[in-house]
Amino acid sequence: MNPFTIALLTDTHIRAPGGDQSSPYPVNARANARARYAVEVIRAEERAFTVHLGDVVHPLPHMAAYADAAVEAHRVLAPLAPDLHLVPGNHDIGDKPHDASPAGPVNETTRATYRDAFGRDHWLVEHDGVAFVAMNSSLVNTGADAEAVQRDWLERELMSCRDKRVFLFSHCPPFIASADEAEHYDNFGEPGRSWLLGLCADTGVEAIFSGHVHQFFFNRYRGVKLYCLPATSFARQDYSEMFSAPPASEFGRDDRGKLAVSFLDISDDDHRLRVVGTGGSEWNADGVMDLPDTQLGTSTLIPHLRHDWATPRVLPYNGPMEEFSRKAVRNDYPLLRLLQFGISTIRVPASDLLDPIQAARLDDWISLRGQLVVFSTEPPTRDLIHALAAREDAVVAWEIVTRNLDDVPAFIAVDGMTRWLGKITTSADNVDRRGAFAHSVTSGFLANQIDRAVACATSNALQGVVLQLRYDDDLAVLDHSADRALETGLDLVVNLRLSHDDPSQGNFDAQWIADRINTCQKWADENARFHLQLDTFEDVDRGYSPRFGLVDRLGNPRLAWDRQRGSSLVTLD
């Protein structure tokens, strides 16, 4: 097959052109113009076809405004026709059967209304030997005749496509944090969930794509990848509770950094998802717009993944969506932003490989072609050596971080693995007696210790040394360190610290950060044995050494790649 691309958008929530009473939220009035902008982003990309994952309109089928909203939706989406395929969302066709659902459930009347407005509620199309299957997720667990018809059809079609690559589209995701989570508004209940997941796994479905929650989530189930994609219209404000930060505008509903369209690149034996932020931009009636670059960034940066990115957080029960039950969700925006930045390698503590929740997230990352630098301040245990060996192909380097260089031989782990020598550096190593003493512990050798680092790494047959570049260090210190390390055949790994040397001071100068990264990145671009770590991926906005990172505490980018100038960084407004 020849590689090709399909476009994906979801949850446009288009309203009747004159306005209607289907929503009390001010941001919903922007949905139509935002959808039209999203259409233009998609039009600019070469693609085989486009799939809308549902909630095309906002008014529900029983509302008087539904018909006018449907007409407006066809007008807004017209530039994507005729190669546009629609998946029914709960706003388009009715909610799933659940006593606490805030809107009316799907039935034969709402299905007929949907078919009259938009066409089939389940379908299969093929392109270049790849099958794309869409279902009506609202029907699952209804017990209606229509559910039985769809179920038989899905089983028959997926079984018949077992010798093909298959992608499934469902407005509602089967689950959002765990395959065994309790039923709530945003997932499939049982027995429908187990039936669908088992069917997809047994028939070799490659991935399931969903919308509905207006947030990004990534999961896997028995080899099937599950992507939940962001909306073009607004963010569900109940999910603002995922973040350790005040919400964006309208109590989180107008979180513009979360709005996006997506592109699915399908190659001979794999697929890659590109989520392209739209930033809440709206269609300009004059046709003059700045469109985002739809390609992924590319970076050799190795960020320290300091914040937890794996443990689900329990949201408060608070209607209208969850008035009677708790919902556990995981913040998947660190994963999404790493993908968008084109970062392929992250630095994590070795203990993550022994924690079931953290290890599962690392394996998710590896399934997306991600790699790891694993560090430890203790010699590896037998269990850790086994965990490293099981992921050997994804581990770029094992970073030994020790206070006593005589202990280095005890750290030697898996044979054949690249090993870098780091160092626990404390304030005792660099006391400035002219000023106040500040307790500090950092990672990496100081520039004046490079000769000792090189000697130790060489004598222990290691492959590299880790130097820390402090906030106040002149970049000229890289010259001597690089010459000293590289002339001996070692890798030079620079831990670029964005934190002040004084932990009571903050660093919130985004342009300084961008310039600092750019300057150091040039070294890495010019020498394959120069590796650049970044000590902060997500902002540290409290505690010691507060500072900006590449993304803020809402998971939105602070910096972006300027692809007109290679991989240079620019600050975002």
Side-chain angles (χ1 to χ4, degrees), residues 286-364:
D286 297 328
V288 179
M289 295 183 299
D290 291 327
L291 298 178
D293 192 325
T294 59
Q295 301 305 307
L296 294 178
T298 300
S299 175
T300 55
L301 276 178
I302 305 173
H304 295 198
L305 219 64
R306 295 179 178 272
H307 294 79
D308 176 31
W309 68 331
T311 307
R313 184 170 186 168
V314 179
L315 304 188
Y317 62 91
N318 185 35
M321 305 309 178
E322 306 295 343
E323 180 64 14
F324 307 105
S325 61
R326 301 187 190 276
K327 178 165 57 185
V329 302
R330 181 188 55 243
N331 174 12
D332 280 1
Y333 283 93
L335 178 67
L336 174 61
R337 302 314 181 193
L338 289 167
L339 295 174
Q340 288 179 312
F341 286 151
I343 291 172
S344 61
T345 305
I346 57 176
R347 179 182 183 268
V348 296
S351 57
D352 282 3
L353 295 176
L354 301 179
D355 180 281
I357 294 176
Q358 301 293 333
R361 180 85 308 196
L362 291 176
D363 288 337
D364 289 339

Side-chain angles (χ1 to χ4, degrees), residues 222-443:
R222 289 176 50 196
V224 182
K225 293 179 179 177
L226 296 92
Y227 301 90
C228 203
L229 302 184
T232 67
S233 51
F234 57 87
R236 285 261 304 275
Q237 63 266 44
D238 48 330
Y239 282 92
S240 294
E241 291 283 356
M242 286 193 299
F243 308 106
S244 300
S249 178
E250 291 192 32
F251 310 106
R253 193 174 183 88
D254 194 18
D255 190 345
R256 301 183 181 195
K258 303 293 190 300
L259 307 182
V261 297
S262 301
F263 297 93
L264 180 63
D265 299 323
I266 299 174
S267 57
D268 287 340
D269 57 359
D270 201 0
H271 68 267
R272 181 181 67 164
L273 181 71
R274 287 181 282 132
V275 178
V276 178
T278 58
S281 297
E282 300 176 27
W283 165 253
N284 184 327
D286 297 328
V288 179
M289 295 183 299
D290 291 327
L291 298 178
D293 192 325
T294 59
Q295 301 305 307
L296 294 178
T298 300
S299 175
T300 55
L301 276 178
I302 305 173
H304 295 198
L305 219 64
R306 295 179 178 272
H307 294 79
D308 176 31
W309 68 331
T311 307
R313 184 170 186 168
V314 179
L315 304 188
Y317 62 91
N318 185 35
M321 305 309 178
E322 306 295 343
E323 180 64 14
F324 307 105
S325 61
R326 301 187 190 276
K327 178 165 57 185
V329 302
R330 181 188 55 243
N331 174 12
D332 280 1
Y333 283 93
L335 178 67
L336 174 61
R337 302 314 181 193
L338 289 167
L339 295 174
Q340 288 179 312
F341 286 151
I343 291 172
S344 61
T345 305
I346 57 176
R347 179 182 183 268
V348 296
S351 57
D352 282 3
L353 295 176
L354 301 179
D355 180 281
I357 294 176
Q358 301 293 333
R361 180 85 308 196
L362 291 176
D363 288 337
D364 289 339
W365 170 243
I366 292 169
S367 79
L368 295 169
R369 294 174 285 186
Q371 296 179 307
L372 312 173
V373 168
V374 179
F375 72 92
S376 177
T377 60
E378 299 288 341
T381 62
R382 184 183 302 273
D383 287 344
L384 180 55
I385 291 174
H386 177 75
L388 284 166
R391 300 168 177 85
E392 186 173 6
D393 290 343
V395 178
V396 170
W398 164 254
E399 184 179 334
I400 299 167
V401 188
T402 181
R403 180 80 172 154
N404 185 355
L405 298 186
D406 292 334
D407 293 338
V408 170
F411 281 80
I412 304 304
V414 181
D415 290 339
M417 181 175 292
T418 297
R419 303 176 180 92
W420 294 338
L421 177 62
K423 186 177 184 296
I424 300 172
T425 298
T426 75
S427 43
D429 293 302
N430 191 36
V431 177
D432 184 352
R433 300 192 182 279
R434 295 170 298 175
F437 178 82
H439 293 83
S440 67
V441 178
T442 56
S443 182

Side-chain angles (χ1 to χ4, degrees), residues 491-561:
D491 291 346
L492 178 64
V493 185
V494 172
N495 175 23
L496 176 58
R497 286 178 49 200
L498 303 183
S499 56
H500 268 282
D501 297 332
D502 179 348
S504 70
Q505 301 298 309
N507 176 14
F508 305 117
D509 188 338
Q511 192 59 61
W512 179 92
I513 292 170
D515 293 342
R516 189 82 158 171
I517 295 173
N518 279 337
T519 302
C520 294
Q521 188 68 60
K522 292 176 182 177
W523 289 73
D525 292 342
E526 293 171 359
N527 195 313
R529 296 201 340 258
F530 184 101
H531 305 275
L532 182 60
Q533 294 184 1
L534 185 68
D535 84 332
T536 313
F537 178 67
E538 182 180 332
D539 288 359
V540 175
D541 63 357
R542 63 203 76 184
Y544 302 110
S545 303
R547 58 205 183 265
F548 281 164
L550 296 184
V551 301
D552 64 23
R553 295 301 292 270
L554 288 174
N556 296 327
R558 285 203 181 278
L559 303 173
W561 306 126

